[in-house]
Amino acid sequence: MDILTHMEHILHFDGILHWCFLIALVFFLIGLLWVVVRILIPLRSLTRQATELMGGNLPSFDTAISGIREIETLHQSLQYMVSQIKIAQEREITYRNALTESQENERKRIAREIHDDTIQ
């Protein structure tokens, strides 16, 4: 019974200290909610996209991530890096195609010269 009486006294908000504690608790919970919504959830989304990027899958990164400024800046940097990788891949394909075409033309030229020399 003594514990129950003590708990009633603690939960009874009659003094200024109790009200200050309640207000501080409310602000703490609001701050915690802000941290979860503005930092942890966007950071988890960014981590998922970065993990896909590490695996070689170039996600589009078109979905906006709204979080604190640093997370948004990091997301924009990753977007830029992905676009640069895509441009580099396209240039590599173009280079490989041009190289293959050049080698094929050289092979045909040499074959023509050998054939013409043999006939003459």
Side-chain angles (χ1 to χ4, degrees), residues 2 27 36 40 48-49 53-54 59 61 65 67 71 74 77 86-87 98-99 111 115-116 119:
D2 190 39
F27 279 110
V36 168
L40 295 180
R48 182 180 31 79
Q49 289 179 346
L53 182 62
M54 265 186 358
F61 281 96
I65 294 180
I71 292 175
L74 186 58
S77 298
K86 287 179 180 180
I87 290 171
L99 184 62
H115 182 265
D116 289 347
I119 291 176

Side-chain angles (χ1 to χ4, degrees), residues 8-54:
E8 286 178 8
H9 175 69
I10 290 174
L11 295 176
H12 185 66
F13 292 100
D14 58 350
I16 187 119
L17 185 61
H18 284 124
W19 282 108
C20 288
F21 174 74
L22 180 64
I23 291 170
L25 182 64
V26 168
F27 279 110
F28 174 76
L29 292 175
I30 290 171
L32 187 62
L33 181 65
W34 182 87
V35 167
V36 168
V37 170
R38 297 286 292 163
I39 297 174
L40 295 180
I41 293 173
L43 196 56
R44 179 171 285 183
S45 176
L46 191 61
T47 301
R48 182 180 31 79
Q49 289 179 346
T51 302
E52 289 178 16
L53 182 62
M54 265 186 358

Side-chain angles (χ1 to χ4, degrees), residues 43-92:
L43 196 56
R44 179 171 285 183
S45 176
L46 191 61
T47 301
R48 182 180 31 79
Q49 289 179 346
T51 302
E52 289 178 16
L53 182 62
M54 265 186 358
N57 180 14
L58 296 179
S60 63
F61 281 96
D62 290 338
T63 56
I65 294 180
S66 61
I68 60 173
R69 184 184 45 201
E70 289 81 1
I71 292 175
E72 291 174 354
T73 302
L74 186 58
H75 183 259
Q76 290 171 353
S77 298
L78 284 173
Q79 278 181 320
Y80 177 76
M81 286 190 291
V82 167
S83 69
Q84 292 301 308
I85 290 170
K86 287 179 180 180
I87 290 171
Q89 287 175 336
E90 290 170 2
R91 287 180 182 163
E92 179 192 6

